Amino acid sequence: WCCRTYQDILMNKAKEYPQIWDDALKLQRTNIPLQQRKAFYKSDEWKTARDKFLAEQPEMKCQKCGRTPDPNFKKAPIKLDRSEHDKELLRKHFNRNRILVDHKLPLRHWWGHRLDPFNFQLLCGCCNEKKGNLTSWEHIKEATIRLKKKNET
């Protein structure tokens, strides 16, 4: 993953893309607390937006690595006496076999785009874990172009 902090990305790309730089500065940044983000993911508004997005997808496939979940995957039963190594292997296997709706622009920093389908992507659990709250330049660029088009209409 070539993701860094928002400020690092913008500073490195400012000279290369001056127009995008100006528009990216107009994106409304936030710093939403963890409890509020967790509550959002339990809300009906998120579940409705997520389910609609999932229903519109042609296939359940990670948009980063291309992984598709095994349709026969069954989560392992809970055993309290498993070794840490076995637990880690099971966690990785579980993450490889699930697809999540991820926010391209992290919810914490772009709360205003939390329900915008353009900000959603399908990621497997492994790619989602790697991405975390990091932001890619491509996603910032895409969001600024969409914002500019929206403001022009």
Side-chain angles (χ1 to χ4, degrees), residues 27-67:
L27 285 175
Q28 295 296 311
R29 294 251 316 161
T30 57
N31 191 10
I32 303 301
L34 181 60
Q35 283 186 300
Q36 188 175 349
R37 287 180 275 149
K38 284 184 174 185
F40 167 74
Y41 283 119
K42 294 177 184 176
S43 73
D44 288 340
E45 66 179 346
W46 164 245
K47 291 174 184 176
T48 300
R50 178 201 62 199
D51 292 348
K52 183 178 181 202
F53 180 77
L54 285 170
E56 295 168 352
Q57 300 310 300
E59 62 182 329
M60 292 297 132
K61 180 178 178 180
C62 179
Q63 294 173 343
K64 178 71 177 164
C65 71
R67 182 179 285 131

Side-chain angles (χ1 to χ4, degrees), residues 48-101:
T48 300
R50 178 201 62 199
D51 292 348
K52 183 178 181 202
F53 180 77
L54 285 170
E56 295 168 352
Q57 300 310 300
E59 62 182 329
M60 292 297 132
K61 180 178 178 180
C62 179
Q63 294 173 343
K64 178 71 177 164
C65 71
R67 182 179 285 131
T68 55
D70 177 356
N72 299 315
F73 173 76
K74 299 275 190 260
K75 194 173 176 182
I78 295 173
K79 289 185 181 176
L80 299 177
D81 60 343
R82 279 199 174 96
S83 70
E84 288 303 314
H85 174 54
D86 286 349
K87 289 177 188 176
E88 182 62 18
L89 286 176
L90 287 171
R91 188 187 63 75
K92 286 181 181 177
H93 189 59
F94 173 70
N95 274 337
R96 285 186 202 110
N97 284 288
R98 65 184 188 143
I99 295 291
L100 306 163
V101 177

Side-chain angles (χ1 to χ4, degrees), residues 9 13 17 19-21 23 30 35 44 55 59 73 85 98 102 111 114 123 140 148 150:
I9 292 168
K13 297 291 184 174
Y17 300 94
Q19 184 57 46
I20 297 289
W21 165 256
D23 292 337
T30 57
Q35 283 186 300
D44 288 340
E59 62 182 329
F73 173 76
H85 174 54
R98 65 184 188 143
D102 173 67
W111 184 255
R114 67 189 177 281
L123 292 182
I140 291 172
K148 190 172 181 178
K150 185 178 175 181

Side-chain angles (χ1 to χ4, degrees), residues 122-148:
L122 294 178
L123 292 182
C124 68
C126 296
C127 290
N128 182 262
E129 193 174 88
K130 286 178 192 172
K131 177 185 170 282
N133 274 329
L134 299 176
T135 307
S136 77
W137 167 247
E138 290 304 314
H139 294 149
I140 291 172
K141 190 165 75 169
E142 176 188 354
T144 56
I145 291 167
R146 287 184 182 275
L147 179 64
K148 190 172 181 178

